[in-house]
Amino acid sequence: MKVLRTPDERFAALPGYPFEPHYSEVPDGDGGTLRIHYVDEGPRDGQIVLCMHGQPSWSYLYRHMIPILTAAGLRVLAPDLVGFGRSDKPATRADFSYQRQVDWMTAWLVALDVQGVTFLGQDWGGLIGLRMVAETPDRFARVVVANTGLPVPQGVSAERAE
């Protein structure tokens, strides 16, 4: 998979975004890797709040919430979904899919090996994150969602999905 990467200097001196970048690599599904950027703020032993942004945003969306949450003693993880912010961007539209986003972000979460997470998902981040919760429920303690939902799987009638 051909991947594009936005140079770090493009993110210098962003207003209200003083957070140090953190990176983790995950399998891209084609034999290579993708670099995922995330914010990791607050006490290492604090309860974790995972903030996942929607489209077309990135972790910058949470820049005002992160200081409030960390002041309350919480640890905040706010990744940039693949294709957004400081995370790698597959060059071909065909390389993007809902399932791949779920796979990439689940691999990222598992690599960080966190437990007891409060998931906070908005928009597209909610769609992806709710699947992460379903696939790795032992890692999550709470779920908060806004402006999101779950699509009905193909082959399942709306009546059966209720």
Side-chain angles (χ1 to χ4, degrees):
M1 172 183 309
K2 183 178 178 188
V3 174
L4 305 173
R5 184 171 291 167
T6 306
D8 282 339
E9 57 267 15
R10 299 284 172 91
F11 299 95
L14 285 172
Y17 194 81
F19 312 114
E20 284 293 316
H22 297 271
Y23 297 99
S24 190
E25 290 195 352
V26 300
D28 67 4
D30 286 344
T33 59
L34 291 167
R35 186 176 80 165
I36 294 178
H37 166 262
Y38 61 101
V39 172
D40 187 348
E41 293 288 318
R44 299 301 108 200
D45 62 348
Q47 289 185 349
I48 297 171
V49 178
L50 169 59
C51 298
M52 289 183 59
H53 66 83
Q55 188 173 327
S57 191
W58 56 295
S59 59
Y60 189 76
L61 174 71
Y62 295 107
R63 69 192 177 283
H64 298 298
M65 291 176 60
I66 292 169
I68 294 167
L69 294 169
T70 58
L74 300 168
R75 179 180 174 193
V76 178
L77 298 175
D80 294 342
L81 297 174
V82 172
F84 298 88
R86 289 182 149 175
S87 288
D88 282 349
K89 294 139 187 85
T92 305
R93 188 173 191 181
D95 288 330
F96 283 96
S97 72
Y98 175 49
Q99 185 60 55
R100 278 192 157 177
Q101 285 283 8
V102 171
D103 293 344
W104 294 328
M105 296 313 297
T106 301
W108 169 81
L109 183 74
V110 169
L112 291 182
D113 194 28
V114 294
Q115 304 288 326
V117 173
T118 296
F119 168 66
L120 170 62
Q122 184 268 336
D123 189 65
W124 189 237
L127 286 166
I128 296 164
L130 286 171
R131 286 277 308 283
M132 293 166 59
V133 171
E135 292 181 18
T136 59
D138 55 313
R139 296 188 180 279
F140 294 90
R142 289 164 291 283
V143 173
V144 179
V145 293
N147 188 34
T148 195
L150 276 177
V152 176
Q154 290 182 354
V156 176
S157 69
E159 294 82 32
R160 186 170 166 214
E162 292 176 358

